[in-house]
Amino acid sequence: MAGAILTMNRTEVKYILSKEQVAYLQERLKPFMVEDEYGLSTIASLYFDTPDYRLIRTSLEKPKFKEKIRLRSYGIATPTSTVYLELKRKSMGIVYKRRAATTIEQTRRFFAGEGDVPGDGQISREIKYFRDFYGTLVPAMMIIYDRIAYKQINGDLRLTLDFNPRYRQDDLELTHEMYGKGLLPEGSAILEVKIQDACPLWLAKILDEGKIYKGSFSKYGEAYKRQLLQAQEGAERNYKSWKNSSTQSLPVAA
């Protein structure tokens, strides 16, 4: 799946859909939208962060401005296939994306401080400034999902349905299989509406009648929170085990 668009500025509105709402929406969209030329595709995004997870911790605080950087592949990558290094910023509800076509090896060298990313000069400079500003950036989380993208029949509206979002915090290689721990119940999906101007009335009517309401869901953010919760639960189990073991080993008073 190629990506000719290197810069994007738009509003992205998210919704979390149940299995039943997915079926309803797909049926209601038929007179207005069709699947794009890629159909169903599997996307993997390797997110980079500082060693102390500064980027995602800041994002979860819901500031007016936040930014992330990720390396994206469409399907399983090879060492020489094209992947996309994406800088994503969000300010006052508007999403700004900068994308550079590259390879995995070029990206490794870039984050090691050896050279720049290829592509448009301005985009390359913005991504390089981001790297230099944050200093050390390391692979932090793999996010994978299966996406169906739709385009408006007579218009420029686009929306996507992301199924089976999953994550892993080890085996952070885009050349490996697309497995991970699930983030949503089976059959659910994340709907993203990509709006340049305003949401058309026909879509607003469909969403309202389907009781599909705007939500907030960051795949990386949700995965990070789950990892924190698992670490906390593991620490609590270890503490209880240690406490019980210590209590059992105490001498009995005469």
Side-chain angles (χ1 to χ4, degrees), residues 43-45 70-74 83-84 86 99 145 147:
I43 299 172
S45 295
R70 63 195 179 197
L71 185 64
R72 172 167 287 187
S73 71
Y74 297 90
V83 291
Y84 298 92
E86 294 184 346
R99 164 187 275 202
Y145 49 91
R147 167 170 286 184

Side-chain angles (χ1 to χ4, degrees), residues 67-202:
E67 53 189 354
K68 302 172 186 175
I69 194 164
R70 63 195 179 197
L71 185 64
R72 172 167 287 187
S73 71
Y74 297 90
I76 299 174
T78 69
T80 57
S81 62
T82 299
V83 291
Y84 298 92
L85 188 59
E86 294 184 346
L87 176 58
K88 181 177 181 181
R89 294 180 169 122
K90 188 172 184 180
S91 178
M92 306 298 289
I94 305 298
V95 174
Y96 304 86
K97 288 185 181 179
R98 303 291 182 261
R99 164 187 275 202
T102 182
T103 66
I104 291 174
E105 185 55 36
Q106 285 174 318
T107 305
R108 291 188 200 279
R109 292 198 301 268
F110 172 72
F111 282 110
E114 303 170 2
D116 298 335
V117 293
D120 176 84
Q122 177 60 29
I123 295 174
S124 178
R125 285 192 293 272
E126 287 188 43
I127 295 176
K128 183 176 183 295
Y129 177 83
F130 181 96
R131 179 201 65 185
D132 295 344
F133 179 82
Y134 285 102
T136 302
L137 291 168
V138 298
M141 189 78 70
M142 185 80 77
I143 301 294
I144 305 162
Y145 49 91
D146 306 314
R147 167 170 286 184
I148 300 178
Y150 293 85
K151 59 183 180 181
Q152 192 174 356
I153 295 173
N154 295 304
D156 59 3
L157 178 70
R158 295 183 64 85
L159 62 82
T160 57
L161 281 170
D162 294 343
F163 297 90
N164 190 23
R166 49 208 188 268
Y167 74 97
R168 62 181 191 249
Q169 203 174 23
D170 52 8
D171 190 17
L172 299 179
E173 295 290 344
L174 292 170
T175 56
H176 293 183
E177 294 297 322
M178 299 291 197
Y179 69 92
K181 301 175 184 177
L183 290 170
L184 286 178
E186 184 177 355
S188 300
I190 303 166
L191 167 65
E192 288 189 22
V193 181
K194 329 288 187 175
I195 302 172
Q196 297 292 349
D197 297 309
C199 181
L201 292 177
W202 59 263

Side-chain angles (χ1 to χ4, degrees), residues 2 16-17 23 29 34 39 49 70 89 114 160 163 191-193 198 204 207 211 214 220 232 239 241 246 248-249:
I16 306 301
L17 276 59
L29 287 177
V34 294
D49 213 323
R70 63 195 179 197
R89 294 180 169 122
E114 303 170 2
T160 57
F163 297 90
L191 167 65
E192 288 189 22
V193 181
L207 297 176
K211 295 181 173 55
K214 179 180 176 181
Y220 179 22
Q232 180 181 353
Y239 172 72
S241 176
S246 298
Q248 294 170 4
S249 65

